[in-house]
Amino acid sequence: MPRLGWRWLLALSSLPSSLLLIFYRVTPESPRYLCLKGRTTEAIDVLEKIARMNGTELPCGTLVSDHQIELQEKSNDPSEDANLLSPRTENATHKGIDSNIGGISSLFVLLSPKLVRSTLLLWVVFFGNAFSYYGLVLLTSELNNGNSKCMPTKVQSQESQDVNYRNVFIASFAEFPGLLIAAATVDRLGRKLSMSAMFFLCCFCLLPLVFHQPEGLTTGLLFGARICITATFTIVYIYAPEIYPTSVRTTGVGIASSVGRIGGMLCPLVAVGLVHGCHQTASIFLFEIVIFFSGICVVLFPFETKGRKLSDTVSSPKHTVESA
């Protein structure tokens, strides 16, 4: 950054992400999605490939979705095979699937009585996560710029290059243990408990920064806060797809992520604007409120998804314990 400038930094940072394009063509489609779309032959092909890679074989039987099973149970026709669909039932299946897809109709499904609580809480958590995560990234450089006290804007702009990159690197490195903590706790403690605990612990780490602290303590507190917010951001991307059925899963997660981006756009006004305006206390307090409220919303999520079976449609049972 000091030698080449931000443009070269941005260009070099984008190179690792471009490597992901290589894997796009070899990434298999979701079998659940293919099954729900009625493309069971393609779903079986994907499952057979997975089985071969794991050195096993698929169990015997016919591949059907939860939605197809519900339609068969409702038909109450003993002449129909339990594992096969008649043309009438298959047409009804596709009609039911089509009613669950599409932009506007999917949004209405997300705000339906069965999903509205989860959807609204998830929007708040995504907003709080993005607001806090990107805000802490900016605070890391703002609070490690070599100025322990607030200065007038003109003088501060002249000293804007005096960023302690060693401390910025230390605080940024916190994302690595944050990912490890998320991986270690998400299946042991559950999604809700691990996410809420990290939110509240992040509040604890940020609280002393309401007042100006020594450089070393500031770096340590930011290190702890970024560990926590990285863990919550990782866990929410695991939890979010699990609370939605397959028919609206990508729409639900996509809209929630978009709401989070709004938080990411607003955070510079706090992380940079308030700190530059000599309002570090107000800035930290605002982060505390957003993070704490996000943690409360996690506690209010209607159910824990750890060990629960994914559903294909809104009417499918969400609370069936996954079989061993």
Side-chain angles (χ1 to χ4, degrees):
M1 175 76 84
R3 293 172 181 159
L4 300 179
W6 66 268
R7 289 181 175 83
W8 275 100
L9 176 64
L10 183 63
L12 294 174
S13 299
S14 66
L15 289 180
S17 299
S18 63
L19 296 177
L20 295 176
L21 296 174
I22 300 175
F23 299 95
Y24 178 78
R25 294 297 299 269
V26 299
T27 303
E29 182 57 85
S30 165
R32 299 185 68 90
Y33 171 78
L34 293 173
C35 187
L36 188 65
K37 295 285 289 184
R39 296 155 61 181
T40 54
T41 302
E42 297 176 55
I44 292 174
D45 291 339
V46 174
L47 292 173
E48 288 177 343
K49 182 179 180 181
I50 295 173
R52 286 195 302 270
M53 294 178 64
N54 287 279
T56 185
E57 295 181 358
L58 290 180
C60 298
T62 302
L63 184 63
V64 294
S65 67
D66 289 348
H67 187 67
Q68 291 171 325
I69 294 174
E70 287 183 8
L71 291 175
Q72 289 175 355
E73 292 175 348
K74 291 178 181 179
S75 66
N76 293 323
D77 188 352
S79 63
E80 292 184 2
D81 191 294
N83 290 324
L84 299 177
L85 290 176
S86 65
R88 176 177 57 83
T89 309
E90 188 171 359
N91 291 334
T93 301
H94 289 292
K95 183 177 179 181
I97 294 171
D98 291 338
S99 66
N100 285 331
I101 62 176
I104 302 300
S105 59
S106 294
L107 180 60
F108 285 135
V109 173
L110 295 177
L111 298 177
S112 64
K114 290 185 178 181
L115 295 177
V116 62
R117 179 181 173 185
S118 298
T119 296
L120 295 179
L121 290 174
L122 195 64
W123 288 356
V124 175
V125 173
F126 262 93
F127 180 93
N129 252 317
F131 184 93
S132 306
Y133 175 82
Y134 295 111
L136 287 176
V137 171
L138 294 172
L139 278 179
T140 300
S141 59
E142 289 300 316
L143 299 183
N144 283 290
N145 59 4
N147 304 315
S148 59
K149 295 183 180 180
C150 185
M151 300 180 300
T153 304
K154 183 177 180 180
V155 177
Q156 193 170 7
S157 63
Q158 296 173 352
E159 300 291 337
S160 60
Q161 297 298 321
D162 295 335
V163 177
N164 190 324
Y165 285 99
R166 179 181 63 86
N167 291 342
V168 171
F169 173 79
I170 293 173
S172 300
F173 188 75
E175 300 201 10
F176 181 67
L179 294 173
L180 295 180
I181 290 175
T185 60
V186 68
D187 286 327
R188 288 179 173 85
L189 303 180
R191 283 70 162 139
K192 290 180 58 176
L193 180 58
S194 55
M195 201 176 352
S196 59
M198 288 295 102
F199 269 126
F200 296 140
L201 187 57
C202 185
C203 287
F204 178 79
C205 292
L206 282 180
L207 190 58
L209 293 178
V210 170
F211 307 102
H212 290 281
Q213 303 294 339
E215 183 178 328
L217 181 58
T218 297
T219 301
L221 292 171
L222 288 172
F223 185 88
R226 289 188 66 169
I227 285 179
C228 298
I229 206 64
T230 299
T232 60
F233 221 156
T234 303
I235 297 171
V236 75
Y237 270 104
I238 297 174
Y239 181 83
E242 295 176 342
I243 66 174
Y244 288 124
T246 306
S247 56
V248 292
R249 182 168 296 131
T250 54
T251 303
V253 177
I255 293 178
S257 180
S258 300
V259 174
R261 301 309 163 191
I262 297 175
M265 290 186 288
L266 293 177
C267 73
L269 301 177
V270 178
V272 179
L274 289 179
V275 175
H276 278 189
C278 300
H279 299 295
Q280 177 176 328
T281 298
S283 174
I284 299 299
F285 263 129
L286 184 54
F287 277 109
E288 289 279 297
I289 293 172
V290 172
I291 295 171
F292 183 80
F293 188 64
S294 299
I296 294 297
C297 288
V298 172
V299 175
L300 295 178
F301 275 128
F303 56 88
E304 169 64 57
T305 58
K306 173 189 172 184
R308 296 186 184 275
K309 185 179 179 181
L310 294 176
S311 60
D312 284 335
T313 60
V314 177
S315 58
S316 300
K318 282 192 176 114
H319 301 281
T320 305
V321 179
E322 191 175 35
S323 57

